[in-house]
Every structure is written in C-alpha cells, then in structure tokens.
Amino acid sequence: MVSRKPALNQSGSPEFVFRVFTTVPEFQVLLFLLFLLLYSMILAGNAAIIWMVCTQSSLRTPMYFFLCNLSFMEICYTTDVVPLMLSNILGGQKPIPLAGCGTQMFFFSTFGSIDCFLLTVMAYDRYVAICHPLHYNLIMTQKLCVQMVLGSVGLALFLSLQLTTFTFTLSFCGHRLEINHFLCDVAPIMRLACADISMHEAILYFAGILVLTVPFLLICISYMFITANILRMRSAEGRQRAFSTCSSHLTVVLLQYGCCSLVYLRPRSSTSEDEDRQIALVYTFGTPLLNPLIYTLRNKDVKGALRNAIFHKAASDTS
C-alpha cells in the first residue's frame, strides 16, 4: 500500500499550480517564443489541411474526411493546453482551481482519445480501399463515415468523463498543490492524493489499454491484411501506389501511439515525473505539428491540391 500524507484541514476547494520550466527570465522568454512559434505552426498547418479538404473537390473522399476531422481534433487538443501553458511561463505560478483543472483534464483526455480512435478508423478505410477496391464506394458511404467519427467522439467523451470523475473523487493533501507538469493530466494529479491510489492507477492503466492497446492492435490487424494484399499485387506501380497511401498514416500512428504508450502504459515504478513531462511535450507539440507535414510531404493528392489552391489564389489576386 502506498503511504500518503494526511489531508490538511483547509477550507475551500484545492488549487493547483504548474511547476515552472525555469526561473531564469531570459530562458522564460525563449521558451515562450519557442512554444508560441510551435503552436502557431500547429494551428496554421492543421487549418491548411482543413481548408484544402473543404475547398478542393479532389480531396472529398472518406480518407480526407477523416484527415480533416483529425486535424480539427489536433487544433482542439493543443488549444486545451498551450494557451494556459504560455500564460504560466511568463506569468509565474498562477493557480488553477479544481474545476478548471478537471475541465482541462476532461478535454485533454477526450481529444487525445478521439485522435487514437480516428487513426483506427483511418486504418480501416485503408484496408477497405486496398483489399476491397471494387466495393470501396459501397462500403465507405458518407453515412458510415459520419457514424464512425461520431462513434469515436461519443466513446472518447464517455471514457474521459468516467476517468476524470473518478480521479477527482480523491482527497488531496492541502489547499495549494504543485503539479510537476504543464497540464492537468491524470497521473500527476493522482500523485497529489492523500489516499492509496493503487486502484486508481490500475484503472488508469486499464483505460490506457482501451484507448491505446486495443486500437493499435486493430490497426496492426488491418495492416497485416493490407501488407498481404500488396505483396500479391503483380504490378510494381500498383504496390508503390498502395504503399504510398498507407505510409503517411502509418508514420502518424507510430508517432502517436509510441509517445502515449511511454506515458500511460509503462509501469509506474519505472517512470519519473520529469520523464513524463518531457514525453508529454513531444505528443503535445510534436505529433500535431508533424501530422500536417507528413500528410503534405508524403501524399501526392494533398501536394497537388495545395499547388492548385495556391495557383488559383494567385490567379484570383492578379485578376
């Protein structure tokens, strides 16, 4: 059993403060500018994907419908965290109330879970496109695509609500508590509790399996069938085209699931709070920033649509 300090008799709800990255003013300014630049690039890159999918008729397919939703979730995901993070870098340790911390945790868990589920849906879309190309339009109807996105959102909302509610049933040791993190994530909040959290950690691990392991296994199964089908293709050009449609998605999957698994699926005894915070920086800034770059640089359809959009914009400006 994990020993905890007794709860202090403080009036009012507890408040939380995030541990600062550095107390050196010059470094604070540099970090603020760096994270602001990354956040701006995330917003611009993902907004460009959404704009292209909505305006270019060549991208109005199920694959890019899912990509558009993924980019929107990436914008929501980072916006839930980064503005408050930037405020704390320059403004010091501003407290966040219990309700505010719970709200951030809920939306952070929700958007992160939706990302994982959408990547699974996109793997199924690639499976149907490559393994059942003649029936693709019959299977991947607009109705089914919308249902899969709504199902991903609904499941993520349900799981996040349960996890957030369960986390904040804990009693905390004091009134003003410091979180060794830059956001209200489940694990660092649990570490501030006054009671034994072994059951809570087990439930967090189980939730991680539901959100990470099960979808990743489904993605792996999809790609097993995809790989087998590609290897049976006689045309080298056909194999190359099939591989190119999957490589971008597979790269994003490895980035997303790799980073999240290091935080949520490692045994608690082998993790440190500083390591979790460093890895969290990668999946908070790295994957939302790389997603539009990967899909733009490695996808001929997106690059072609981007060139067409820029050409038409330039032509309309000169006319």
Side-chain angles (χ1 to χ4, degrees):
M1 178 179 292
V2 180
S3 61
R4 296 282 165 179
K5 295 181 293 183
L8 299 177
N9 186 16
Q10 301 279 358
S11 59
S13 299
E15 294 180 334
F16 302 91
V17 292
F18 302 112
R19 182 169 297 180
V20 296
F21 287 97
T22 178
T23 57
V24 181
E26 292 80 5
F27 289 160
Q28 288 178 337
V29 174
L30 288 176
L31 283 176
F32 177 86
L33 294 176
L34 173 62
F35 292 145
L36 179 61
L37 175 62
L38 293 175
Y39 180 53
S40 301
M41 293 172 65
I42 289 169
L43 294 181
N46 285 284
I49 294 289
I50 296 172
W51 174 68
M52 283 190 294
V53 172
C54 293
T55 59
Q56 300 298 308
S57 58
S58 61
L59 299 183
R60 289 173 187 171
T61 63
M63 174 182 175
Y64 297 108
F65 171 73
F66 296 133
L67 176 59
C68 180
N69 282 275
L70 181 66
S71 293
F72 177 72
M73 292 304 163
E74 297 285 25
I75 291 175
C76 297
Y77 179 77
T78 52
T79 301
D80 180 53
V81 176
V82 178
L84 181 60
M85 175 184 175
L86 292 174
S87 174
N88 281 300
I89 289 177
L90 289 184
Q93 291 181 302
K94 295 180 180 178
I96 178 172
L98 183 69
C101 190
T103 300
Q104 186 186 59
M105 179 188 294
F106 170 72
F107 284 111
F108 180 77
S109 301
T110 298
F111 294 132
S113 300
I114 294 173
D115 273 2
C116 294
F117 297 149
L118 283 178
L119 289 173
T120 309
V121 169
M122 293 171 75
Y124 175 72
D125 172 73
R126 292 300 84 206
Y127 160 75
V128 176
I130 293 174
C131 298
H132 304 283
L134 299 179
H135 300 92
Y136 180 75
N137 291 329
L138 295 176
I139 297 174
M140 299 302 297
T141 61
Q142 183 179 11
K143 180 180 179 180
L144 178 62
C145 294
V146 172
Q147 287 175 340
M148 287 194 288
V149 170
L150 293 179
S152 299
V153 174
L155 181 58
L157 286 170
F158 174 77
L159 292 175
S160 298
L161 180 61
Q162 301 302 312
L163 186 60
T164 303
T165 303
F166 188 68
T167 301
F168 283 95
T169 58
L170 291 165
S171 57
F172 297 97
C173 304
H175 176 66
R176 189 181 177 94
L177 307 167
E178 185 182 64
I179 309 171
N180 187 13
H181 215 298
F182 57 87
L183 63 96
C184 288
D185 205 358
V186 180
I189 294 295
M190 284 183 179
R191 294 190 181 106
L192 300 175
C194 300
D196 174 36
I197 61 170
S198 56
M199 183 179 68
H200 290 73
E201 288 181 334
I203 291 176
L204 175 60
Y205 193 78
F206 178 71
I209 291 175
L210 287 178
V211 175
L212 296 172
T213 306
V214 174
F216 185 71
L217 287 176
L218 293 174
I219 292 173
C220 289
I221 292 171
S222 297
Y223 274 100
M224 287 173 58
F225 286 107
I226 290 172
T227 302
N229 191 275
I230 291 176
L231 293 177
R232 287 197 299 266
M233 292 181 179
R234 296 181 179 179
S235 169
E237 182 181 353
R239 287 196 298 270
Q240 179 63 29
R241 186 169 58 252
F243 177 76
S244 65
T245 62
C246 298
S247 58
S248 300
H249 174 259
L250 194 55
T251 304
V252 172
V253 166
L254 294 176
L255 284 170
Q256 177 82 7
Y257 283 88
C259 292
C260 292
S261 296
L262 287 175
V263 173
Y264 297 105
L265 296 182
R266 286 189 303 173
R268 290 290 103 188
S269 59
S270 65
T271 65
S272 71
E273 295 180 5
D274 290 333
E275 287 177 347
D276 285 352
R277 186 163 74 156
Q278 293 164 7
I279 298 171
L281 281 173
V282 176
Y283 64 71
T284 300
F285 288 97
T287 53
L289 177 62
L290 291 175
N291 285 358
L293 292 176
I294 290 170
Y295 277 104
T296 301
L297 297 176
R298 298 180 62 88
N299 191 293
K300 293 181 180 179
D301 293 337
V302 176
K303 287 191 290 186
L306 181 60
R307 283 194 299 267
N308 290 335
I310 294 174
F311 175 77
H312 287 303
K313 178 66 176 176
S316 63
D317 290 341
T318 56
S319 60

